[in-house]
C-alpha cells in the first residue's frame, strides 16, 4: 500500500519540518509514503472563503487518482485512538487499497467536491490545530500505527 499526505501550502516553520522529516524517514521502513504539497494560492486575500476552497479543490483533485481512497483530515471526522487507527490502516491494507490519500485542507476547509471525493473523514482531536502542526501530528500517528502493527516498543498502553 502507498500512503500520501496531500497538504495545502508549504511547511515554513523549520522545527515542524524537522519533526516531519524524522517521521517520514522512519516511515520508509514500513510503507511507501509521500507528502504532496499544493502551493498556497497567491491572491487569496481578495477572494471569498468559498472561492479559495474551490480553487484549492481544483489543485487537490489533480493530486488524486481515480483508484485512490481519499480520507479527509476534518474536524467533523471520526476520532480514533492510536491502536484503533493502526487497525484502520491494517483494514485498508487487507482490503487491497493501493493508495490511501489523506488530505489536509487549507484554512477554510474543503469545497463540496473534495468532500464528495472522500470515502472517509478522520479527526485528530476536538481541539483546533494549525495546518502545519497537523502535518507533524499526523505523520507521527502514521508511524506509531505501523509500530503498533509490527509489535514494536514505540507505543505504550
Amino acid at each position: 500500500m502507498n500512503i500520501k499526505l496531500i497538504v495545502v501550502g508549504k511547511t515554513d516553520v523549520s522545527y515542524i519540518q524537522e519533526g516531519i522529516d524524522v517521521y517520514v524517514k522512519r516511515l520508509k521502513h514500513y510503507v511507501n509514503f509521500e507528502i504532496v504539497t499544493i502551493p498556497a494560492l497567491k491572491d487569496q486575500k481578495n477572494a471569498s472563503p468559498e472561492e479559495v476552497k474551490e480553487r484549492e479543490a481544483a489543485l487537490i483533485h489533480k493530486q488524486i487518482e481515480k483508484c485512490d481512497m481519499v480520507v479527509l483530515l476534518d474536524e467533523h471526522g471520526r476520532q480514533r485512538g492510536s491502536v484503533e487507527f493502526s487497525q484502520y490502516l491494517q483494514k485498508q491494507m487487507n482490503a487491497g487499497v493501493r493508495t490511501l490519500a489523506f488530505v489536509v485542507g487549507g484554512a477554510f476547509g474543503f469545497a463540496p467536491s473534495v468532500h464528495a471525493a472522500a470515502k472517509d473523514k478522520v479527526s485528530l482531536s476536538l481541539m483546533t490545530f494549525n495546518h502545519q502542526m497537523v502535518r507533524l501530528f499526523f505523520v507521527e500517528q502514521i508511524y506509531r500505527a505501523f509500530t503498533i502493527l509490527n509489535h514494536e516498543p514505540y507505543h505504550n498502553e
Side-chain angles (χ1 to χ4, degrees):
M1 181 170 76
N2 301 308
I3 298 177
K4 64 182 167 184
L5 177 61
I6 302 169
V7 299
V8 176
K10 67 179 184 170
T11 304
D12 57 7
V13 178
S14 62
Y15 67 89
I16 294 175
Q17 187 59 55
E18 289 168 16
I20 292 169
D21 292 343
V22 165
Y23 290 106
V24 168
K25 184 177 179 183
R26 290 180 184 184
L27 274 169
K28 298 294 182 189
H29 175 73
Y30 303 103
V31 68
N32 184 15
F33 178 83
E34 71 173 316
I35 296 177
V36 177
T37 303
I38 293 169
L41 301 176
K42 295 189 187 292
D43 60 345
Q44 64 182 344
K45 289 182 182 179
N46 298 326
S48 70
E50 290 73 27
E51 184 181 348
V52 170
K53 289 191 293 187
E54 289 299 330
R55 290 173 53 203
E56 288 174 348
L59 298 172
I60 290 169
H61 287 298
K62 287 181 181 178
Q63 300 301 323
I64 297 170
E65 301 291 326
K66 197 171 200 172
C67 62
D68 290 354
M69 179 173 169
V70 178
V71 180
L72 304 183
L73 274 78
D74 185 272
E75 62 187 358
H76 302 294
R78 180 171 175 200
Q79 293 184 25
R80 293 176 172 88
S82 295
V83 172
E84 188 180 2
F85 183 66
S86 71
Q87 294 165 345
Y88 176 79
L89 290 180
Q90 184 67 62
K91 181 179 174 185
Q92 304 316 313
M93 289 186 280
N94 292 347
V97 170
R98 186 171 180 194
T99 301
L100 193 52
F102 292 98
V103 185
V104 178
F108 299 114
F110 299 106
S113 66
V114 177
H115 279 284
K119 301 283 190 263
D120 204 354
K121 296 176 189 172
V122 172
S123 172
L124 293 180
S125 173
L126 292 174
M127 294 180 185
T128 301
F129 302 115
N130 76 42
H131 289 78
Q132 293 192 33
M133 295 296 287
V134 165
R135 299 165 193 195
L136 175 57
F137 295 156
F138 190 66
V139 172
E140 189 277 339
Q141 283 300 303
I142 295 173
Y143 172 73
R144 180 178 297 273
F146 278 98
T147 64
I148 291 168
L149 292 173
N150 287 282
H151 308 288
E152 295 174 356
Y154 183 78
H155 178 74
N156 299 312
E157 283 254 320

